[in-house]
Amino acid sequence: MSPPAAGCCHVTGFKVENWKQNLRVIYQCFVWSGSAETRKRKAKSCICHMCGAHLNRLHSCLYCVFFGCFTKKHIHEHAKAKRHNLAIDLLYGGIYCFMCQDYIYDKDMEQIAKEEQRKAWKLQAFTPTMVSHYQCTMTGIGEKYSTWEPTKRELELLRHNPKRRKITTNCTIGLRGLINLGNTCFMNCIVQALTHTPLLRDFFLSDRHKCEMQSPSSCLVCEMSTLFQEFYSGHRSPHIPYRLLHLVWTHARHLAGYEQQDAHEFLIAALDVLHRHCKGDDNGKKANNPNHCNCIIDQIFTGGLQSDVTCQVCHGVSTTIDPFWDISLDLPGSSTPFWPLSPGSDGSVVNGESHMSGTTTLTDCLRRFTRPEHLGSSAKIKCSGCHSYQESTKQLTMKKLPIVACFHLKRFEHSAKLRRKITTYVSFPLELDMTPFMASSKESRMNGQYQQPTDSLNNDNKYSLFAVVNHQGTLESGHYTSFIRQHKDQWFKCDDAIITKASIKDVLDSEGYLLFYHKQFLEYE
């Protein structure tokens, strides 16, 4: 058995002479407040020293006498200015570390919290049986728990109001239409996909963003945080994303104006601006992604693309790994030569896709993307083994998979001779296994074809579809819509301000322009 993980390393600076007694005083006077006198003192004294608020998740600095509210980040400002890294939540008693940016556990502090909580309960005439019950319920942290017993008046109100909102499998909280502000459907469909990305939703709804811009009103991440709150507020009326549009125009000037833009181009521009504005959320740890950035965008969307260039003379291999936010895939019908369809065109199922006669699948596109490509005599490279320019082959594979894999089907072709939209239907699955396209699977390939492994229990590289962006119309005149997965098997079509129920068949039969897949299992780091 491996040893337990070490707790927060920043508590050491707090544990100096008399630290236990000082912590006990804070718990006695300002957290549990067992006696009538301490309850009066807490009610009178516990206000934010910057804005005077009694609420907003009030915290007390553990190093000095300072109370600050957490919601308006006044305690954050104090911690940064004074380098006081620890604060205590005066409502629940949790210890927050501003270096770790999370509530922490420390065995010694936990013991003091439990002891002082027991003393407070005894002062309020709690019996041992009740104390034991509360310890089991709250594990020693938080306010005293007591069950809610409705009064006669409340029972009467409940009977007269049967239509109460509750979270069920059919719940539509999180679904909200977006007003089109003039050819902004390209933005609306991407916003729908991002607001339904599970980890991104959890990040923004848990107040994880720490803005360090001089003007928060110009921060795109702050606006996204507001957008998530709007989406999950339960309001049914369409939202007007005018501030988001203004910020996009400000930070990505090539998208400014009321002309129709490309949804894929908007996605990459939005991720880039969010990545740049997220620098205050980086807690300094070196991230395990090719960008080595710990911001939420890179944690979720960044993968590593491995490029292997092999010399045809000495067979030496030169390898580079580049970060990516999405994978752009060529389609049959484009001017780029497309290799023949892979095995399975006889009607068998590969990667969950049914290969009907002549149908191109997402797996076909990925096979083409990761097949070895002969660079030819006009693109010789200098081989480090031969010390001369030689012909070579190049092969792309996935070195590291992102949590959210976005596939861009290249439907818009722009060349010197023609500009057109490619309408080839591409079959894509609800569940996708990326194992065949990993760098670790290269040895299993033969002439660009992947041999299915016998171990089918490996789920590390499996993904589930959760959003699809579609484009209807021509290159010159078109409209973007999206399909969003709300619960496991519930899909909705988002057409600007209009949200309608959709079937899985509607989703899978759609043309497909951007496909968003979420990893089914996340690695623990």
Side-chain angles (χ1 to χ4, degrees):
M1 181 181 292
S2 59
C8 171
C9 61
H10 305 109
V11 298
T12 309
F14 172 72
K15 291 183 176 181
V16 294
E17 187 178 359
N18 294 328
W19 74 270
K20 290 186 178 181
Q21 183 57 34
N22 294 339
L23 186 61
R24 286 186 188 278
V25 170
I26 295 176
Y27 273 113
Q28 290 169 3
C29 298
F30 303 116
V31 182
W32 307 135
S33 302
S35 67
E37 181 184 345
T38 55
R39 285 198 295 274
K40 288 180 183 177
R41 186 184 301 167
K42 179 176 181 177
K44 184 178 180 180
S45 306
C46 290
I47 60 172
C48 176
H49 288 181
M50 295 187 72
C51 67
H54 281 268
L55 302 174
N56 291 335
R57 293 173 63 191
L58 203 63
H59 283 59
S60 171
C61 176
L62 288 185
Y63 297 86
C64 66
V65 182
F66 181 88
F67 296 153
C69 55
F70 197 92
T71 306
K72 294 184 178 179
K73 299 190 181 296
H74 292 150
I75 190 67
H76 298 71
E77 294 172 17
H78 171 81
K80 185 177 180 180
K82 300 292 185 180
R83 296 188 179 180
H84 292 174
N85 299 327
L86 299 177
I88 184 170
D89 185 332
L90 296 182
L91 186 61
Y92 297 106
I95 306 291
Y96 189 88
C97 175
F98 292 94
M99 297 295 288
C100 298
Q101 297 184 31
D102 205 352
Y103 290 94
I104 62 169
Y105 171 84
D106 179 81
K107 184 178 180 181
D108 298 331
M109 291 180 166
E110 178 79 356
Q111 185 62 33
I112 292 173
K114 287 182 178 180
E115 290 172 3
E116 296 305 323
Q117 191 178 45
R118 290 192 195 101
K119 291 178 184 177
W121 284 337
K122 288 179 181 178
L123 286 171
Q124 296 184 41
F126 281 71
T127 66
T129 304
M130 294 169 72
V131 171
S132 175
H133 167 71
Y134 291 132
Q135 285 176 315
C136 293
T137 307
M138 299 300 291
T139 63
I141 292 295
E143 292 183 303
K144 299 185 301 297
Y145 170 80
S146 58
T147 56
W148 172 62
E149 294 292 339
T151 63
K152 289 183 178 179
R153 172 61 178 160
E154 288 169 337
L155 286 171
E156 188 178 332
L157 287 172
L158 290 172
R159 277 193 291 267
H160 282 85
N161 295 276
K163 294 184 178 181
R164 296 182 298 278
R165 177 176 291 154
K166 54 185 177 180
I167 304 298
T168 65
T169 54
N170 296 319
C171 179
T172 57
I173 291 179
L175 286 172
R176 195 169 181 186
L178 289 165
I179 297 295
N180 191 315
L181 300 174
N183 286 327
T184 57
C185 56
F186 68 93
M187 177 181 74
N188 290 349
C189 64
I190 297 301
V191 168
Q192 293 288 359
L194 293 179
T195 51
H196 288 84
T197 302
L199 288 183
L200 204 60
R201 173 199 64 205
D202 295 347
F203 174 85
F204 281 112
L205 294 183
S206 57
D207 294 329
R208 297 287 291 176
H209 172 52
K210 179 183 177 184
C211 185
E212 288 194 353
M213 295 187 67
Q214 291 183 346
S215 174
S217 62
S218 64
C219 176
L220 186 63
V221 191
C222 289
E223 177 57 27
M224 282 298 293
S225 182
T226 302
L227 200 64
F228 272 87
Q229 292 173 28
E230 288 287 344
F231 263 73
Y232 290 90
S233 64
H235 295 310
R236 294 179 178 272
S237 59
H239 179 65
I240 307 173
Y242 66 93
R243 291 193 71 250
L244 178 68
L245 182 64
H246 170 71
L247 286 174
V248 170
W249 285 1
T250 302
H251 298 293
R253 295 193 176 277
H254 62 289
L255 295 175
Y258 287 102
E259 300 84 8
Q260 178 66 274
Q261 303 288 349
D262 180 21
H264 172 247
E265 190 175 1
F266 176 82
L267 170 67
I268 299 304
L271 292 180
D272 177 60
V273 176
L274 287 169
H275 158 72
R276 287 189 276 118
H277 290 190
C278 267
K279 60 182 180 180
D281 302 321
D282 190 336
N283 60 17
K285 293 188 297 183
K286 187 176 180 180
N288 185 23
N289 63 60
N291 265 350
H292 302 300
C293 174
N294 207 44
C295 79
I296 190 64
I297 299 302
D298 281 300
Q299 286 185 53
I300 295 175
F301 293 96
T302 299
L305 189 65
Q306 179 169 317
S307 173
D308 294 317
V309 178
T310 305
C311 174
Q312 294 297 284
V313 176
C314 70
H315 302 291
V317 180
S318 173
T319 300
T320 57
I321 299 173
D322 297 308
F324 69 87
W325 280 331
D326 74 316
I327 296 294
S328 293
L329 301 171
D330 288 317
L331 301 180
S334 68
S335 57
T336 305
F338 200 92
W339 73 320
L341 293 179
S342 54
S345 56
D346 55 354
S348 63
V349 175
V350 178
N351 214 346
E353 298 165 323
S354 178
H355 284 66
M356 296 178 291
S357 178
T359 301
T360 303
T361 69
L362 178 61
T363 301
D364 290 327
C365 298
L366 284 167
R367 281 199 177 106
R368 183 190 185 282
F369 181 79
T370 57
R371 83 192 192 284
E373 178 185 3
H374 186 68
L375 296 181
S377 57
S378 60
K380 290 183 178 181
I381 62 163
K382 189 170 184 178
C383 175
S384 57
C386 300
H387 302 290
S388 60
Y389 287 91
Q390 304 290 351
E391 291 190 20
S392 58
T393 59
K394 178 181 178 180
Q395 184 173 12
L396 299 174
T397 50
M398 309 294 166
K399 177 64 176 178
K400 179 174 175 58
L401 292 172
I403 293 175
V404 169
C406 175
F407 300 105
H408 164 226
L409 304 183
K410 295 162 71 172
R411 296 199 173 277
F412 303 124
E413 188 171 43
H414 303 270
S415 64
K417 294 183 178 180
L418 58 121
R419 295 176 69 255
R420 59 178 181 140
K421 178 184 175 183
I422 300 167
T423 58
T424 305
Y425 172 71
V426 176
S427 169
F428 50 91
L430 286 174
E431 295 191 345
L432 177 69
D433 186 359
M434 289 293 289
T435 304
F437 315 109
M438 297 292 293
S440 56
S441 302
K442 276 187 65 176
E443 59 271 14
S444 300
R445 292 170 178 269
M446 295 176 61
N447 298 323
Q449 305 297 340
Y450 177 72
Q451 305 302 306
Q452 194 73 18
T454 55
D455 178 16
S456 60
L457 299 178
N458 181 16
N459 294 318
D460 292 345
N461 306 321
K462 291 187 177 179
Y463 285 79
S464 294
L465 184 72
F466 73 92
V468 178
V469 171
N470 287 291
H471 179 270
Q472 291 89 38
T474 64
L475 191 66
E476 291 75 22
S477 176
H479 180 62
Y480 287 101
T481 59
S482 58
F483 287 106
I484 297 299
R485 189 183 69 187
Q486 173 73 349
H487 298 287
K488 184 178 180 181
D489 295 317
Q490 290 194 34
W491 287 84
F492 291 85
K493 182 179 181 180
C494 304
D495 187 351
D496 288 331
I498 302 171
I499 309 289
T500 54
K501 191 81 185 290
S503 67
I504 293 177
K505 186 177 185 301
D506 293 333
V507 178
L508 299 181
D509 285 350
S510 66
E511 190 176 82
Y513 179 51
L514 298 173
L515 311 175
F516 293 83
Y517 285 85
H518 199 288
K519 242 184 180 183
Q520 293 181 358
F521 298 91
L522 303 183
E523 300 91 348
Y524 177 77
E525 296 178 1

